Amino acid sequence: MSVRVLIDHRKEGSPAARHPEKAHRPDNPIARKPDWIRVRAPNNPVYHETRKLMRDQKLVTVCEEAACPNIGECWSQRHATMMIMGEICTRACAFCNVTTGLPHALDADEPQRVAEAVAKLGLRHVVITSVDRDDLPDGGAHHFARVITAIREAAPTTTIEILTPDFLRKPGSLEIVVRARPDVFNHNLETVPRLYPSIRPGARYYQSMRLLDDVKRLDPSIFTKSGLMLGLGEEKPEILQVMDDLRIADVDFITLGQYLQPTVKHAAVARFVTPEEFADYAAMARVKGFLQVSSSPLTRSSYHADSDFAELRAARQKRLETQNGAMETK
């Protein structure tokens, strides 16, 4: 049985309690979702096993914190995106369901607990993300590096994808994370530049672009990835321009998904983008040269990340072989 709802898997806390910084904002009624946005209510036993492991290891997941619509499917396959450095973010993006406030001190044992969970789940590929930690001198860069190192030791065959903050005004932080050598460095642009003041006010579009560009400058072997939410009021030419900007930064992988409004205090959905439009954007992104594209209403940064990484690696190998073959024929 399928239901047309966005499941909020966190039982505790009202929207007002989770988002006090948004309490003064006028309500934006949540629009009825179209037929093509469907998620299944989680009832697979493996889903509950995964959930129990996260609780036993005292880990936070973005799957729950962001009320991801794909949690039932992913957790039933033992896939979970772990969110490090706590569950309180220093920013208040208009689209995000993560709690805003003053974070707690970093947990020194967290890297080891994350690594143990990865090993117990037997993951081929893991995605590690975090809240923004503007309160820390390095933005949490050393903590990211420690998590990567711990996973390498506990699960040496697991490939590691990180989804990081922008490290705004944190010089040297990116270099710390890159030296830890994740397999994929993901940083989401989230939306088009024009909408940053209202949707992502604490961030800067060109800082995010520079971050992605610098990853390739520091270590060209690391795959880079970024994503956009559609349905916030962006226009098609703006989306295509962002694609071009990402390709200039040599970003390998782009994800495009439908924005879904978490509560009435969050940004409203301007429109629901059709599956056909997502398919068209995917075709345009491939023409522009991305190695990998994921574009659908329910696409999220870490959705099918394990299989996507295998395809990404194969696509790079194929491109290298094609380039080498072309050089040999000259």
Side-chain angles (χ1 to χ4, degrees), residues 49-262:
E49 291 174 13
T50 304
R51 188 175 189 276
K52 184 177 184 300
L53 178 60
M54 296 301 110
R55 295 293 173 274
D56 290 347
Q57 296 294 106
K58 298 179 182 178
L59 297 175
V60 178
T61 69
V62 75
C63 318
E64 294 175 287
E65 294 300 316
C68 180
N70 303 316
I71 189 171
E73 176 185 350
C74 294
W75 283 26
S76 295
Q77 298 174 19
R78 300 187 189 279
H79 298 161
T81 299
M82 298 175 204
M83 191 167 80
I84 60 174
M85 297 192 281
E87 56 188 15
I88 301 175
C89 186
T90 54
R91 299 192 191 172
C93 295
F95 63 86
C96 186
N97 199 42
V98 175
T99 304
T100 300
L102 181 63
H104 303 297
L106 291 178
D107 182 347
D109 295 330
E110 183 177 54
Q112 190 57 41
R113 294 202 311 276
V114 169
E116 290 172 3
V118 170
K120 288 179 180 178
L121 287 168
L123 299 182
R124 294 176 301 178
H125 185 80
V126 64
V127 182
I128 306 296
T129 188
S130 78
V131 292
D132 277 286
R133 291 298 303 258
D134 297 310
D135 59 309
L136 300 175
D138 68 347
H142 283 95
H143 200 75
F144 258 107
R146 284 191 284 269
V147 170
I148 294 169
T149 299
I151 294 172
R152 294 278 188 227
E153 293 174 353
T157 62
T158 300
T159 50
I160 302 171
E161 178 173 333
I162 57 171
L163 174 54
T164 76
D166 58 13
F167 299 119
L168 183 63
R169 303 184 191 92
K170 307 293 182 184
S173 293
L174 176 64
E175 288 79 359
I176 293 166
V177 179
V178 170
R179 280 198 297 270
R181 305 216 56 227
D183 297 281
V184 181
F185 191 109
N186 187 0
H187 173 67
N188 285 333
L189 295 176
E190 308 293 8
T191 190
V192 300
R194 176 176 58 85
L195 297 178
Y196 264 55
S198 59
I199 300 301
R200 203 178 173 217
R204 301 293 180 269
Y205 177 79
Y206 291 105
Q207 164 66 18
S208 290
M209 286 300 312
R210 186 182 300 114
L211 186 84
L212 291 162
D213 187 63
D214 283 347
V215 173
K216 283 293 190 184
R217 176 181 56 81
L218 292 166
D219 190 340
S221 70
I222 295 176
F223 289 103
T224 49
K225 178 177 176 180
S226 190
L228 291 176
M229 299 174 293
L230 304 189
L232 282 163
E234 68 289 332
E235 300 292 339
K236 182 176 180 179
E238 294 177 302
I239 297 170
L240 299 181
Q241 182 61 60
V242 170
M243 288 184 186
D244 288 339
D245 292 346
L246 288 170
R247 288 303 301 132
I248 289 171
D250 200 22
V251 170
D252 301 298
F253 188 174
I254 186 172
T255 60
L256 302 167
Q258 172 69 52
Y259 166 63
L260 296 175
Q261 184 181 347

Side-chain angles (χ1 to χ4, degrees), residues 11-44:
K11 294 182 181 178
E12 70 277 15
S14 66
R18 282 179 63 78
H19 305 290
E21 80 292 343
K22 296 181 174 72
H24 67 283
R25 299 179 183 177
D27 287 358
N28 290 316
I30 297 178
R32 178 179 174 84
K33 298 172 182 65
D35 290 341
W36 61 76
I37 296 181
R38 293 174 178 269
V39 295
R40 293 187 177 277
N43 56 10
N44 189 303

